[in-house]
Amino acid sequence: MSDLSQHPELQPCPAGAARPEREAYPMKGRELNPGLMVARALPQRQRRLIGAWCFLDRMGPLDVTEDHRLNVAPHPHIGLQTVTWLISGAIRHRDTLGINQVIEPGQLNLMTAGNGIAHSEEGLTPIGQQLFGVQF
């Protein structure tokens, strides 16, 4: 058991103390594939980083059709990690390290790029279902 009196930094804020501010930034949208909008929350001119995160993208929600699905051609990442988290749908992640992973709702994919890696994302969500997720 800990003794909070030994750690003043862990004490509750006194009444009337300043609380952290919340900031809202409009997301910038772009069409990644026909019908698939990606909304980028980070970076913003006023906020380039939040902790370790240098970007935050929302994919969808997209009602998958024959003409509207996820298909991201191989592209490079260098010196960062990406986390892909799906709320609905399925994606196949392939990269130049030989990783071939299917990501499903509630699962996370963590990719460490190091000096460089190329990866692609292929939508596996069946037609008529919805794709929705985020990538940090």
Side-chain angles (χ1 to χ4, degrees):
M1 189 178 315
S2 67
D3 180 1
L4 291 178
S5 65
Q6 300 294 318
H7 301 280
E9 71 277 11
L10 299 178
Q11 298 300 313
C13 291
R19 298 279 184 190
E21 291 183 29
R22 288 195 275 182
E23 300 174 30
Y25 301 104
M27 289 195 258
K28 299 172 188 168
R30 78 176 185 128
E31 194 168 42
L32 191 59
N33 291 126
L36 177 60
M37 293 300 294
V38 173
R40 178 155 283 180
L42 291 174
Q44 296 276 333
R45 182 180 305 260
Q46 310 89 315
R47 178 75 62 197
R48 299 206 49 194
L49 296 172
I50 293 184
W53 309 114
C54 61
F55 74 92
L56 171 58
D57 293 346
R58 184 188 76 204
M59 303 175 281
L62 169 70
D63 293 324
V64 175
T65 68
E66 195 66 46
D67 297 325
H68 298 114
R69 57 179 45 197
L70 176 72
N71 187 15
V72 181
H75 59 283
H77 285 269
I78 296 173
L80 56 80
Q81 289 185 304
T82 60
V83 174
T84 304
W85 176 39
L86 285 185
I87 297 163
S88 63
I91 294 175
R92 178 182 312 280
H93 165 99
R94 290 187 182 148
D95 63 41
T96 52
L97 294 177
I99 305 297
N100 181 355
Q101 179 183 16
V102 174
I103 312 163
E104 296 180 327
Q107 294 181 333
L108 293 177
N109 172 269
L110 173 65
M111 179 183 73
T112 302
N115 289 330
I117 190 171
H119 79 118
S120 64
E121 293 144 322
E122 172 192 0
L124 301 177
T125 306
I127 292 173
Q129 293 187 19
Q130 194 173 74
L131 174 66
F132 187 37
V134 294
Q135 191 172 74
F136 308 60

